[in-house]
Amino acid sequence: MGPFLPDAVRHHAACRPDAAAVTEGPRTLTYRELDRRSNRIARALLDAGLPTGSHVGYLVRPGLMAAEILLACAKAGLVATPLNWRLAQPELVAVAQDAELGIVLTQTEFLPGARAVRAALTGIALVADIEVETENEAGQAEFAYETWLNVASAADPGGGTENRVFLQLYTSGTTGLPKGVQLTLRNVSPGDYQLTEMGWAETSVALNAMPIFHIGGTGWLITALTAGAESVMLPDLVPQRAVELMARHQVTHAFFVPAVLHVLTAMPGIRDHDFSALRLIVYGASPVTPALLRRSMEIFGCGFYQKYGQTETVGSGTRLLPGDHVADGPRSRLLRSAGSPCPDVEVAVADPVTGKPVAPGVVGEIFTRSHHLTPGYWKRPQETEALFTADGWLRTGDAGYLDEDGYLFITDRMKDMVITGGENVYPVEVESVLADHPAVLDVAVFGTPDERWGEAVTAAVVLRPEAGPVTVDELVAFTRERIASYKKPRIVHFVDELPRNSSGKILKRVLRQELGRPEPGA
């Protein structure tokens, strides 16, 4: 295994100093420049007095800053904590407080959120990509990013211990509150098998259009840098811009969630674009329909590689190899599967009560065990303990079965998490907001199949008898003001009552059956 991220970049900087490492718009950092700039950022963070293991929060889009801050944290022995700029300000502050950030770095467009974080965490520094240092009304400095890093030493701090936590990504918890998933350099290492199976080479060019506060975006960046490839970063996923960049930079590798594949394949004139350099599209993070896969395979004409996993497993569990993507014939059934276990991962399906393995074809809870597994949740010992079995298996919370050939088929999630467009949405959070509307008596939120988004956040709402006329648009607007836009319900059903079992628990399975839209292409 290895080299791990910092050593991989050091190697490429020494052996191929002028090779392109990261590109954003007209700017490109070579491996030598990325190595040196990350050294300066690491030194600047340490000069700010941050002790080993401190959390470095950053509000940035996919781009140069994201790459060099991530690498700097690994070198400095600090914990990179990318923040979700899509969150409403109260949500953002709550995450920052939970992480106990020691500093916050931001791009100018996210300054309001960064300032709210700094205000909530008294005494932390704020660094932004502004031209000159400024002060707020309280006399607190806002450091200019380029000046801040350039006054620091370019000497490599020499960090990069494989088993030390260097990355913390936030994902929804069992209560709907975000929880920090801790990851080490060893956890995120792609491994030789993955570089080989995906056909990575030092001449590869990767398109990265995923948010870096997701394991998809950060993991894809780490893989490309480890391989010595060039990462073309797309700060904002505009479909037309994505296909233009793929042609201009002769992109060989791309990672998309199914919702993006849906948008791209539906674009007018998509078949007129040049995808001749494209060798592989990796996809995952949410359900995908065989119809969408077939359409994507036909349009892009390259290999496809599915990854199944979660943040807690660095997205590594099973993979559906390019050779398993067969559009027609008996093997086409595999398009509905999540593939077979990765070479460095164990996958089992077990009875969720006893934890004992079940026979092929029998549905149970999916367990996994590998070096990719998180060491635990930040400050959540009880949830960490519940995540693992006594013998080290991670409980995914997903339901599925293994067939006789070892391919995994996911049938449902044992948790109620909704994955829409690659974003995790926990129903209780949306339900809590909708329940605050004066006209809402009862509500249940769940996911229903959606070809574009993978799943659509769907709400079944019971109105109070005395309530006046209430529209779907009014309820959606009500949620948009209180939580991130991607969490708002895309579908709202007004119902007379919610189905419940004898103990009063809402039967969301019944709601999905009665109100869920049929899966296109199924």
Side-chain angles (χ1 to χ4, degrees), residues 397-469:
D398 290 338
Y401 65 91
L402 289 165
D403 71 6
E404 294 286 353
D405 298 319
Y407 284 84
L408 180 68
F409 290 77
I410 301 169
T411 57
D412 202 351
R413 276 185 298 282
M414 302 186 77
K415 305 172 184 177
D416 286 330
M417 184 76 76
V418 179
I419 303 179
T420 178
E423 298 279 5
N424 291 347
V425 179
Y426 205 82
V428 68
E429 188 176 10
V430 187
E431 289 166 355
S432 297
V433 172
L434 285 171
D436 284 340
H437 192 285
V440 173
L441 175 64
D442 207 356
V443 59
V445 172
F446 49 97
T448 54
D450 185 280
E451 184 174 8
R452 176 176 181 180
W453 301 105
E455 286 186 311
V457 179
T458 304
V461 175
V462 180
L463 296 176
R464 297 183 182 278
E466 68 276 16

Side-chain angles (χ1 to χ4, degrees), residues 441-444 462 497-507 510:
L441 175 64
D442 207 356
V443 59
V462 180
E497 63 180 0
L498 298 177
R500 284 181 160 83
N501 62 16
S502 57
S503 63
K505 182 179 179 181
I506 296 173
L507 299 174
V510 174

Side-chain angles (χ1 to χ4, degrees), residues 117-347:
V117 167
R118 193 256 304 274
L121 296 169
T122 306
I124 72 167
L126 189 157
V127 182
D129 63 345
I130 52 180
E131 292 186 6
V132 294
E133 185 175 318
T134 62
E135 289 186 357
N136 65 5
E137 295 178 355
Q140 297 168 307
E142 294 180 354
F143 299 96
Y145 183 70
E146 290 296 328
T147 302
W148 173 81
L149 70 90
N150 281 325
V151 297
S153 167
D156 192 326
T161 305
E162 65 181 84
N163 290 317
R164 175 179 290 164
V165 173
F166 93 106
L167 177 63
Q168 186 160 304
L169 300 175
Y170 273 81
T171 185
S172 294
T174 55
T175 63
L177 298 174
K179 54 187 176 182
V181 179
Q182 302 178 96
L183 298 170
T184 67
L185 284 170
R186 179 178 172 82
N187 292 153
V188 302
S189 172
D192 292 339
Y193 84 88
Q194 193 173 144
L195 300 180
T196 300
E197 288 182 350
M198 292 185 181
W200 286 99
E202 292 179 345
T203 55
S204 298
V205 180
L207 179 69
N208 196 324
M210 292 289 292
I212 51 87
F213 49 78
H214 282 173
I215 189 58
T218 291
W220 191 238
L221 175 62
I222 290 171
T223 299
L225 291 176
T226 302
E230 177 185 3
S231 288
V232 177
M233 310 297 283
L234 185 58
D236 194 15
L237 184 53
V238 178
Q240 184 65 36
R241 179 71 173 152
V243 296
E244 289 173 357
L245 286 178
M246 290 169 75
R248 180 184 309 166
H249 292 277
Q250 292 293 282
V251 167
T252 60
H253 293 67
F255 180 94
F256 296 124
V257 296
V260 174
L261 286 175
H262 175 85
V263 172
L264 293 177
T265 57
M267 281 179 55
I270 184 64
R271 298 172 189 274
D272 299 330
H273 289 271
D274 178 19
F275 301 117
S276 59
L278 196 58
R279 297 290 176 264
L280 190 74
I281 289 179
V282 180
Y283 64 97
S286 64
V288 63
T289 65
L292 175 58
L293 263 182
R294 291 188 180 96
R295 187 164 71 245
S296 301
M297 291 160 60
E298 191 270 326
I299 289 174
F300 292 107
C302 64
F304 277 72
Y305 186 111
Q306 179 186 167
K307 291 196 73 178
Y308 162 69
Q310 51 194 188
T311 306
E312 291 86 344
T313 69
V314 195
S316 296
T318 61
R319 82 281 195 237
L320 191 67
L321 296 169
D324 292 326
H325 286 74
V326 181
D328 302 300
R331 285 181 58 81
S332 64
R333 69 180 183 85
L334 295 178
L335 294 183
R336 295 183 180 276
S337 83
S340 55
C342 300
D344 57 357
V345 176
E346 295 177 84
V347 174

Side-chain angles (χ1 to χ4, degrees), residues 9 13 17-22 27-40 68 71 75:
V9 172
D18 297 323
V22 186
R27 289 188 61 200
T28 295
L29 291 181
T30 64
Y31 272 95
R32 173 169 47 202
E33 291 169 331
L34 176 62
D35 189 45
R36 289 179 177 176
R37 283 179 64 86
S38 62
N39 288 345
R40 289 187 182 278
E68 59 194 19
L71 182 58
K75 289 180 173 181

Side-chain angles (χ1 to χ4, degrees), residues 340-413:
S340 55
C342 300
D344 57 357
V345 176
E346 295 177 84
V347 174
V349 176
D351 184 293
V353 177
T354 67
K356 295 181 178 179
V358 297
V362 176
V363 174
E365 183 175 5
I366 301 167
F367 287 7
T368 180
R369 188 165 59 182
S370 73
H371 70 85
H372 296 294
L373 304 188
T374 174
Y377 297 120
W378 166 251
K379 299 195 307 182
R380 302 288 182 91
Q382 292 182 332
E383 291 187 51
T384 297
E385 184 179 2
L387 182 64
F388 296 98
T389 67
D391 49 355
W393 290 94
L394 181 141
R395 301 176 180 272
T396 67
D398 290 338
Y401 65 91
L402 289 165
D403 71 6
E404 294 286 353
D405 298 319
Y407 284 84
L408 180 68
F409 290 77
I410 301 169
T411 57
D412 202 351
R413 276 185 298 282

